[in-house]
Amino acid sequence: MSATEGGSVLHQWLESDRCGESCPENSTGEEPEQSPLRRRFRSKVLARFPESVEGQPFDQDAVNMLCLPRGLSFRTRPEPPHFHSFLITREDFTRTYGFALIFYEQVRSAQVCASMQTLLSLHHVQNQVQTEVPGQTGSSSASSSSSMDSLCSSVEDPDPDSKHAPPPGGYDFSVDPLYVSKALCLLAPLPFVGACRSFLSQLHRAVMADSSPPLPLESYIYNILYEVPLPAPGRSLRFQGVYEPIVCQRPGPAELPLADFPLGQVFSLLGLDNAIQVFTCTLLEMQILLFSQDVQRLMTVAEGLSTLLFPFQWQHVYVPILPASLRHFLDAPVPYLMGLQSREGADRRALELPQEANLCFVDLDNQCVELPEDFPQFPHKQELLQELSEVLQSSSSCLGSPGSLRHSSLPCSPAAPRRTCPDLQDQQNGNLRLNQDAILELLQRNETLERLEALTRRTGVSVARVDALSQRLEDERLDAMLNVRIREVFAARFISMFSDYEAFVIHSCPDLQTWLTARENMHNFDKASFLSDQPEPDLPFLSRFIETQMFASFVDNKIMSQWEEKEPLLRVFDQRIQKNRLYQQRAPSSSQRLSQLHQAGKTHRLIMLFIFLPFPSFYISQAVEQRCLKLDHTAVLPHLLNMRIGQGRFSPGFFPTLQPNVLKAPPGNRALLAPELHGILEWDHGSQRPLKPPKKSASVSCLKQLHEARTLSLRQPKLSDLSPAVIAQTNWKFVEGLLKECRIKTKRMLVAKMGREAVELGHGDALITGLEENTLLVSLCDLLERIWSHGLLVKQGKSSLWSHLLHYQAREERLAQKFWLVSSVGCLVLVGLFRHVQLMSEIRTDVGRARAWIRLSLEKKTLSQHLKQLLSRHGLSKKLYKRYAFLRCEEEKEQFLFHLLSLNAVDYFCFTSAYSTVKIPYRVAIVPMKKLSNSLLTSNPWVCVSGDQRDSGVRQIPKNLLEMGFECLNLGKLTTVQIGHDNAGLLANWLVDCVLVRNEITGHTYRFPCGRWLGKGVDDGSLERVLIGELLLPGGGEEETLSSITAKGNKPTAGQIQDAVGEVVNNMIKHFHKPEKEGSLTLLLCGENSLVTALEQLFYHEKAVSHLDSIDRMGDLRDQDQGRCSLGRYVQAIGSSSQSVGKDGKLQRLVCLGTRDRVLALWLPLLADCPVTPQFYEDGALLRDRAAVRSLSEVLVTLHEFPVTLEASLVKGIRL
């Protein structure tokens, strides 16, 4: 029990001001220009009971800050009492819940009243002097300061010119009363919100009542501290307040953990759609900042979000109410969930936050949410919204009108008023306004009511009070049931989403100690297999969620459960999964249910009734309702204590000084508010309570050790110690944590891209999909933003990194203009890349530009180099960052850049694949076989470049030029080039060696080998060719990739051809399993050492094409079987598609189409059995060896189970 007051602080502040000394630190608010009746003074704890608890030190500073979040204040009129709750999280991650009731009590100290009058006079004189100074405005503020009532106006009425302001007048302490804020506070290990609120309200009512309570207040306080036991799991308990009984309950072992904060209010404050969006941000461990004038709203929403996470737990910084003096904790470069109390009339735009790139800002008073960019949606969001809407509308009594349950995120009015008109509220609840005269006439002459009135007059019990008590208990029951229904909706989603998670948990250690030692370098969950088993629409969310700390902790708990007792949340979750599987197995189809209902007897109907009911929320709701209606235990009633005569005197309107000698803790105390219990004590009504609680299992200490080792940067802020040494130590922990996180992320990215090399180094299967790679890249961008925001002083826009780049560019331009200095090569490259991103009009935000710059630098393998150049300007870093910032720690900064440098060992296409709508400049160079051959060309050449996203369209090449440039939308990774000409003029034939295409933004250069003629009468007579490209290694020479089978002049044997076909098919199969490792499918089909190359050797080029051209003239082959018909149809379609494609190009298209449509394996035996085959092939030809052809056909059949998608350039103009 704590009470908070600070009149002596006011007197001390005034005396210091009179003597010309500095005022006590933090004794007043942050704005001394305000009236003393609007300032906030520092509070202190007057008394607490018990004085000390073994093993649980009392955090006095934290209680001071959180009981009165805005400090102690004075008023000339008392304000209504206000209840709020708060949370204290210690460094060992244990939580203590606090419940405070703030009220105003008249100041009885003449010294304090005189001090306040002097302060008001000084403030009035100061305002008058300021109004007389030329050029200064503020007469309205001066006049308002002269008005006593306007100075003490509350937050809801800040306008001094409002109609409630009386005429100007001074404050006379001998006539006018003065009130000071005071707080009654209960600290408890569990969130019994309703019970603690009711107890504090009754305690306050007893103080303000005209008559004394039945017993001294010490009796009720002693009773709740030491005699009211903690309810057993699954049981309810009733204990007596000052005037009314109070009921609290705890969920059973198979139910979700205790959560007493009203979830219906969370959805009412946010709206359904906003609530789901903020919940998704919480699951993805983003930075979440709640913003409201009402601290209870902050606490309710924060606790509601953390409650809905079951079976996961928030693992990062958690401060639902952040005191104003600790606002610097928003600078923490880690995920957090914090609540910030806003001031009256505060503008969101004026709120300067150190980092906003990954911030979810939630304005609870205006129902407005600002989400981060690249935000994935929660799986099956619309179905979830519909289900929640039905639950909330069915419990509309907890939320007001059904109209408030809307899916939209439209802003509403600022903060709803606390007092509403009864008629208006009644209309909002859907009730009709009845005629008051008709009601009065109805109630008159009612004998039952007359007897009740006479009975209440004799007993002294008010009917209204009984009705109010019944209504309160009914509201608590409805709130509890609504909480259960909402939580079960979210729990069912996670049960469905992770019903098979156990199959993907990797158990690789024989004992706990071995696992703890090697934990950091182990893969405990098969993420790739898990994602491949999920529906495709769910992958954007799930791929990021399984990378979070809460999911890693969940998997750790599962692995440790094989050696230790299961963590409670995990135990309940696993039980739910098992029951859900059993329920699904027992549930018959709808037709079976109907037949069984008609045929079964009474007993079978009862069994079927169990199957039809929703599982398991119905039974849990029943259990909650049963505990509310039928109480299990009743605590000992309050009684007189051994107090001396004269103690416990009652003075109406003033909280008495409690007697500490009667409120000492008795030995063996195990009561409701005992802080050392933490919800682990279980006892039955008939059994004796244990003297000591059970010991914590070993898994708790192991998990704590794991948490501290794995999340070095996730330091929970300590609210009680604000010394510079502690702040410096905290920031140093942040620096170490950021460096460790960078090392882990870069290692994960490097290992995932190394492929077989990573497996050989002992890192396990390094398979990574494009979705996982993008998830890791998003995580890296977030890390860089948090590093650049740590200790930031000056920022432009929401992105700290982009702000630094802007300052760097402005500085270099200023130096170049002022001193005519030539920048270094590194500076020029950095500024050039920066300008490239600036010119991308498709990217509209600073956060998006910063991420594009990171991805582009990573793809160019210059990220570490550019960041090193950016940080080389030490003067700029000193201007932008505080001394303790990560970027000003030289040793850690060097290690950070070294970790990023290691990413240059692998190739990324993270910019090319992510920004498909950005315009990219390309440059094409044609390399002829002979010098000057292009200068005499009379035809009109053209080129068409294709990538994995689109093609450039036909681009005409200027005559007599070997290079050209063009700009188009991002083509993606380049795959093919179509090159040709119109065969015009006398010198139309063109001998091309290769084509080079360069992406001018990323610097990637692709080589498309040709080595053939384009023209009629030469080579195969083709006027256009489709060339397959490969990416050239930067700085490396052109490698010889032709094998012996494709080398000129070599005649491969039958065995070599069979081996080549088998090798190509094997590479294609590996491509479908690991596309990022085996390269482009187009390259495997048509490039060097491809399937087309191998089959060309089988058909001996021209002879195979001549044979195919003659099939349509063989009438005896057309109708013999389906294979021959399909072959003839394909040949005719390819032949009629284009006259400019030669025989080799036609064969290439035939092989590609046959592979795609799964008929290529049928064509080889058909060609081997063709009567004209002996006319074209010798006896030793491979195509005449039926056994070999059958073997090749069987090899090609293995490709039928994979979907083959062809580039548009390979099948252009073909109509089947």
Side-chain angles (χ1 to χ4, degrees), residues 1065-1138:
V1065 172
N1066 185 41
N1067 290 336
M1068 294 178 65
I1069 293 175
K1070 288 193 293 183
H1071 163 83
F1072 289 107
H1073 289 287
K1074 299 181 180 181
E1076 286 77 15
K1077 299 293 188 294
E1078 298 302 327
S1080 168
L1081 180 61
T1082 302
L1083 190 63
L1084 295 174
L1085 279 172
C1086 306
E1088 297 175 313
N1089 300 327
S1090 63
L1091 183 62
V1092 171
T1093 305
L1095 293 182
E1096 280 180 352
Q1097 299 299 322
L1098 173 65
F1099 295 134
Y1100 288 134
H1101 298 291
E1102 296 180 13
K1103 291 184 178 180
V1105 175
S1106 299
H1107 170 62
L1108 295 175
D1109 287 338
S1110 64
I1111 287 182
D1112 57 338
R1113 298 191 298 268
M1114 297 179 184
D1116 57 336
L1117 298 178
R1118 285 188 175 184
D1119 302 325
Q1120 292 187 11
D1121 56 31
Q1122 182 180 0
R1124 289 183 173 86
C1125 292
S1126 65
L1127 177 59
R1129 183 165 55 90
Y1130 277 79
V1131 170
Q1132 291 178 2
I1134 293 173
S1136 61
S1137 62
S1138 176

Side-chain angles (χ1 to χ4, degrees), residues 268-289:
S268 180
L269 289 172
L270 291 174
L272 277 178
D273 189 76
N274 280 342
I276 299 302
Q277 299 284 56
V278 176
F279 177 69
T280 307
C281 290
T282 309
L283 286 170
L284 298 180
E285 295 183 342
M286 299 179 177
Q287 292 178 328
I288 303 169
L289 181 62

Side-chain angles (χ1 to χ4, degrees), residues 285-287 316-317 328-336 338 354-355 358 712-715 730-739 741 745 779 782-792 800 881 884-887:
E285 295 183 342
M286 299 179 177
Q287 292 178 328
H316 302 273
V317 175
H328 62 274
F329 274 111
L330 293 175
D331 190 29
V334 294
Y336 59 70
M338 297 190 191
Q355 45 190 333
N358 200 38
L712 186 59
S713 63
L714 310 178
R715 185 176 178 86
T730 302
N731 281 286
W732 179 248
K733 290 291 185 181
F734 284 146
V735 171
E736 291 181 337
L738 289 171
L739 182 61
E741 187 177 355
K745 286 187 184 300
S779 178
D782 171 50
L783 172 63
L784 293 180
E785 283 288 357
R786 286 190 281 118
I787 288 176
W788 253 256
S789 64
H790 183 235
L792 185 63
S800 304
Y881 291 93
Y884 61 78
F886 180 92
L887 297 180

Side-chain angles (χ1 to χ4, degrees), residues 631-927:
L631 300 176
D632 298 306
H633 304 289
T634 301
V636 176
L637 296 176
H639 53 85
L640 284 173
L641 303 176
N642 187 18
M643 301 175 63
R644 297 178 181 178
I645 299 176
Q647 291 182 343
R649 290 181 179 179
F650 175 75
S651 179
F654 297 93
F655 195 87
T657 301
L658 302 176
Q659 305 303 316
N661 58 325
V662 298
L663 292 178
K664 293 182 179 179
N669 167 48
R670 295 293 181 265
L672 179 72
L673 302 181
E676 67 270 20
L677 289 177
H678 294 282
I680 59 176
L681 179 62
E682 300 184 12
W683 60 280
D684 191 64
H685 182 70
S687 60
Q688 183 180 3
R689 285 178 288 171
L691 296 180
K692 294 184 179 180
K695 294 182 178 180
K696 296 181 180 179
S697 63
S699 60
V700 176
S701 59
C702 292
L703 278 178
K704 189 175 299 184
Q705 174 187 351
L706 253 178
H707 188 90
E708 294 174 352
R710 189 174 55 229
T711 60
L712 186 59
S713 63
L714 310 178
R715 185 176 178 86
Q716 183 70 20
K718 188 177 181 181
L719 304 182
S720 58
D721 194 346
L722 299 179
S723 64
V726 172
I727 295 177
Q729 183 182 7
T730 302
N731 281 286
W732 179 248
K733 290 291 185 181
F734 284 146
V735 171
E736 291 181 337
L738 289 171
L739 182 61
K740 178 181 178 181
E741 187 177 355
C742 178
R743 175 176 60 83
I744 293 175
K745 286 187 184 300
T746 52
K747 179 181 178 181
R748 170 86 189 278
M749 295 174 65
L750 187 63
V751 169
K753 293 287 288 186
M754 285 176 64
R756 290 178 298 178
E757 292 84 354
V759 177
E760 294 172 359
L761 293 175
H763 295 291
D765 190 1
L767 171 65
I768 181 173
T769 65
L771 187 63
E772 289 179 280
E773 179 180 314
N774 185 66
T775 301
L776 294 176
L777 289 169
V778 170
S779 178
L780 177 65
C781 294
D782 171 50
L783 172 63
L784 293 180
E785 283 288 357
R786 286 190 281 118
I787 288 176
W788 253 256
S789 64
H790 183 235
L792 185 63
L793 284 172
V794 183
K795 185 181 70 167
Q796 295 176 246
K798 290 188 175 182
S799 172
S800 304
L801 176 58
W802 189 254
S803 173
H804 197 162
L805 288 168
L806 287 172
H807 283 96
Y808 180 87
Q809 181 193 33
R811 180 184 181 277
E812 295 301 321
E813 292 178 351
R814 186 170 59 252
L815 291 177
Q817 294 176 359
K818 185 175 182 180
F819 301 105
W820 297 89
L821 296 177
V822 179
S823 302
S824 63
V825 176
C827 175
L828 293 176
V829 174
L830 172 58
V831 174
L833 187 67
F834 175 77
R835 288 174 177 168
H836 274 311
V837 177
Q838 270 186 318
L839 295 175
M840 296 177 184
S841 59
E842 297 81 5
I843 306 175
R844 303 180 184 275
T845 65
D846 289 348
V847 176
R849 295 185 185 98
R851 292 179 177 177
W853 185 87
I854 294 172
R855 287 175 175 265
L856 183 55
S857 300
L858 187 61
E859 185 166 335
K860 292 174 67 69
K861 298 187 177 182
T862 57
L863 180 60
S864 178
Q865 173 188 342
H866 287 338
L867 293 180
K868 184 176 182 180
Q869 179 67 31
L870 181 65
L871 298 174
S872 63
R873 302 296 187 252
H874 299 289
L876 181 61
S877 298
K878 291 181 180 179
K879 176 184 175 182
L880 298 180
Y881 291 93
K882 301 174 184 177
R883 180 62 190 90
Y884 61 78
F886 180 92
L887 297 180
R888 293 190 61 186
C889 300
E890 295 299 326
E891 184 177 349
E892 286 71 22
K893 182 175 66 176
E894 291 298 326
Q895 295 182 46
F896 159 70
L897 295 174
F898 176 76
H899 291 317
L900 292 181
L901 183 63
S902 65
L903 296 177
N904 292 356
V906 292
D907 296 324
Y908 282 99
F909 294 89
C910 47
F911 178 86
T912 302
S913 59
Y915 297 92
S916 59
T917 60
V918 173
K919 286 189 175 181
I920 303 291
Y922 293 91
R923 178 156 294 276
V924 179
I926 294 94
V927 181

